[in-house]
Each structure stands twice: as C-alpha cells, then as structure tokens.
Amino acid sequence: MYFIICVIAVLIDCIVGDPKKWTHPVIYIGNVISFFERKWNSGSDNRRRINGYLTVFLTVSITTGSVFFIVILALKVHLLIWLVVEIFLISLALAQKSLKEAAMLVYDSLEANDLSEARKYLSWIVGRETNQLDEPEIVRGVIETVSENTSDGVMAPLMYALCFGATGAWCYKAINTLDSMIGYKNERYADFGFAAAKLDDVANYLPSRISGWFLIIFTKCETAKPFKHRYKNWLKDAKKHPSPNSGYLEAATAVQLGIRLGGFNRYGGVESFRAYMGEPYETMQRIHIKKAIRHMYVCTWCVVITGGILYAIACTWG
C-alpha cells in the first residue's frame, strides 16, 4: 500500500510542490529545535552534550509522535481520509520541485548574464560566501547543493516513506533538520550538536549510498570513460568529503558530468578547502545545473521502481 501512496506523493511533489501560502512543517520543527537550543546550549561541554542528546530525543519524539497521531486519527475516521493524509504528508516531506526551483533561479540569472542576481539566489541555498564568485564557482555551488539534497531532501525521506509511511518520512525529516541546524563542528555546536550530527550520519548512511549507486548506474555519462573507471573513482572520491554521506552523491555527479567539484570556499571571511572530486574534463557551465536536476529525477524514479519491484515480490510471496 505504501508503494502506491508514495508514487502519488512523488507525482504531487514533482508537479505541484509545496503549498505557497502557508508555513511548511519543517519550520515548526526548526522552532522546536531553536527553543531547546536557546534553553540548553550552555554550561560545561559535558552538560551541552547531554542536553544535545535530550534535544534530539525530544525533537524526534515530538515530530514522529505528532505525525503518527494524525495518521492514526485519520485512519479511525475513514480509510480514504487516511490515504489522503498519508499522500499529503509524504509529498510535503519531499523536496523535488522546491530544490529544482531554487537551482533554476540561479540558472535563469546566469542565462540573463546577471551575476549579481545569481550570487544572491545562490546565497539562499548555500552557507559559503557568494559575493565574489564567478560563473563556474556559482555553478559548482548549485551542483553541490542539488547533489547533496538529492539524498537529504528527496531520496532518504522517500525510502523511509516506502518502509514506514508518513511517520517514517517525518521521523527522518526531524533528524535531518536537527543536523542542518545544530550539527556543526564549531565552538557553539561541537558538543550540543554532536548527537544530531551522528544520528543524521546513521539515518542517511544507506540512502546516500543507494542514491549514489543509482546515479552512477542509471544517469547519462557525459564522458567516454568506461563504467569500471567511473565506479572506481566514485568510491575513491566519495570518501574525501568531510561528510560520511554527502560525498557519495557529489562524487557520483562529478564523475557522470565529467567535472570537478570541491575546492576553496569562504565562510565568515575564513577560506577553507574541500577535497576535489571528479576529473575536470569540462569546465563547469550553467547547463550542468539542469543536468544535476535531471539526475535528481532519475534517482527518485529509480527508488520508486525498485520499491515497486520489491512490493510485487512481497505480494507474490505473501
């Protein structure tokens, strides 16, 4: 049943996206996290770490419990109401259209030769400084964001939805939101956000690798390099990323597009270097943004089709 629900939810998210005139549930999750962070991110390092664990437990419990309650209540009212609620909540947990729209704002600005606008729109979706970036670096920022969020914003919640419905999808969204808000290795969050970062690493471990595998197998390769060469480079480069999961998407994207991701970024006036991934057979161009978006859709439907195959097998054996 969850397979059919997820297919409809994916289509709704792809075509309609999120409602524009209301507050997305992730905002409420963020408000909960911010409340706990203001109250508890103080004291000794050990106290902060304990409070961080408690923040993770409460945030995930509140989110998962709320969605579970809504779903059960809908089921008690009527099966059709339950189906509508499940579809609606799962579609909200996905980010295909919103990710595409954010990337295309930058692309359209580059098409209009308006670097200032492109830098502004890029700053909405990345943490690095963008005010001095040239076009290839702007493109790199978009591609890295789309690649990473293909797993975080689409593939992972979809996989959890296929297994556990809307409750599973939103449990993951709570974990991922915690990581995006407090899972940083800086002075403020190193201890308080420790549990959030580690839990997100665990939750996204399989989705990121499955997503990267689908990407390297099923998307169009823009180079003449044989599969064995690309597969080997993907696995090698993925481990260079500071995140144990994000590299599997970014490295696969770089290998398939024949570009090099990674390099120097500036955060708060401080320059940092992220290891290179991929070989620069091509200079990054704005068209690569569209190709990265296409990768997202290919991976999404690979998950849906795989879910359908497993569902058919389960029904046959059942």
Side-chain angles (χ1 to χ4, degrees):
M1 180 65 74
Y2 283 140
F3 166 69
I4 298 171
I5 289 171
C6 286
V7 170
I8 299 172
V10 167
L11 289 171
I12 290 174
D13 179 59
C14 181
I15 298 169
V16 179
D18 298 328
K20 302 300 182 184
K21 295 185 178 181
W22 72 310
T23 304
H24 196 281
V26 167
I27 301 298
Y28 296 115
I29 298 174
N31 290 339
V32 171
I33 297 167
S34 296
F35 172 80
F36 290 134
E37 198 271 337
R38 289 194 302 271
K39 295 289 185 181
W40 290 345
N41 190 13
S42 61
S44 66
D45 292 348
N46 188 53
R47 171 53 59 186
R48 289 186 180 193
R49 184 162 294 200
I50 292 171
N51 288 346
Y53 276 97
L54 189 57
T55 295
V56 168
F57 174 76
L58 289 174
T59 302
V60 174
S61 297
I62 291 169
T63 304
T64 306
S66 298
V67 174
F68 181 75
F69 173 77
I70 293 170
V71 167
I72 292 299
L73 182 62
L75 183 59
K76 286 184 178 295
V77 174
H78 197 278
L79 179 61
L80 184 59
I81 300 298
W82 174 77
L83 286 170
V84 171
V85 168
E86 281 279 356
I87 291 168
F88 179 65
L89 289 176
I90 292 172
S91 70
L92 283 179
L94 306 177
Q96 295 172 99
K97 189 170 184 181
S98 58
L99 184 57
K100 175 187 175 181
E101 288 175 344
M104 288 303 295
L105 284 174
V106 181
Y107 175 86
D108 291 338
S109 297
L110 292 175
E111 281 287 278
N113 295 315
D114 191 337
L115 284 181
S116 177
E117 281 289 286
R119 291 167 183 149
K120 180 185 76 173
Y121 290 133
L122 177 63
S123 71
W124 293 1
I125 57 174
V126 300
R128 72 195 67 172
E129 295 178 12
T130 64
N131 57 329
Q132 299 296 326
L133 298 183
D134 59 12
E135 180 168 331
E137 285 298 296
I138 292 172
V139 171
R140 175 169 74 88
V142 178
I143 292 174
E144 289 175 351
T145 297
V146 171
S147 296
E148 180 178 353
N149 283 284
T150 292
S151 179
D152 291 353
V154 183
M155 304 287 280
L158 177 57
M159 290 179 192
Y160 282 104
L162 283 165
C163 295
F164 307 109
T167 304
W170 280 98
C171 177
Y172 171 78
K173 292 295 284 187
I175 293 170
N176 188 244
T177 305
L178 279 158
D179 179 62
S180 67
M181 290 184 65
I182 63 175
Y184 298 104
K185 296 179 181 178
N186 55 28
E187 184 178 354
R188 180 174 178 179
Y189 294 120
D191 291 295
F192 185 74
F194 177 82
K198 293 302 179 183
L199 183 58
D200 184 73
D201 290 344
V202 173
N204 205 19
Y205 184 88
L206 283 178
S208 63
R209 285 153 179 79
I210 293 171
S211 302
W213 189 81
F214 281 149
L215 203 156
I216 205 79
I217 296 286
F218 294 111
T219 62
K220 180 183 177 182
C221 176
E222 304 292 334
T223 72
K225 294 296 180 181
F227 174 78
K228 184 177 180 179
H229 174 86
R230 291 182 282 116
Y231 189 82
K232 180 180 178 181
N233 282 352
W234 168 55
L235 293 178
K236 178 188 69 176
D237 288 351
K239 296 178 175 64
K240 298 176 182 178
H241 199 283
S243 163
N245 296 324
S246 298
Y248 285 88
L249 274 299
E250 292 187 26
T253 298
V255 166
Q256 290 299 93
L257 294 182
I259 59 176
R260 186 173 70 181
L261 299 177
F264 290 95
N265 301 318
R266 293 184 67 84
Y267 301 91
V270 178
E271 190 170 67
S272 66
F273 176 75
R274 180 176 294 179
Y276 291 123
M277 292 179 287
E279 300 170 85
Y281 297 108
E282 292 188 30
T283 302
M284 275 177 285
Q285 304 171 45
R286 61 192 70 161
I287 191 61
H288 289 126
I289 294 175
K290 285 190 170 182
K291 292 178 179 180
I293 294 170
R294 192 177 305 128
H295 286 179
M296 174 188 67
Y297 285 118
V298 170
C299 288
T300 301
W301 285 104
C302 282
V303 171
V304 171
I305 292 168
T306 302
I309 293 171
L310 294 176
Y311 177 73
I313 293 172
C315 289
T316 301
W317 287 355

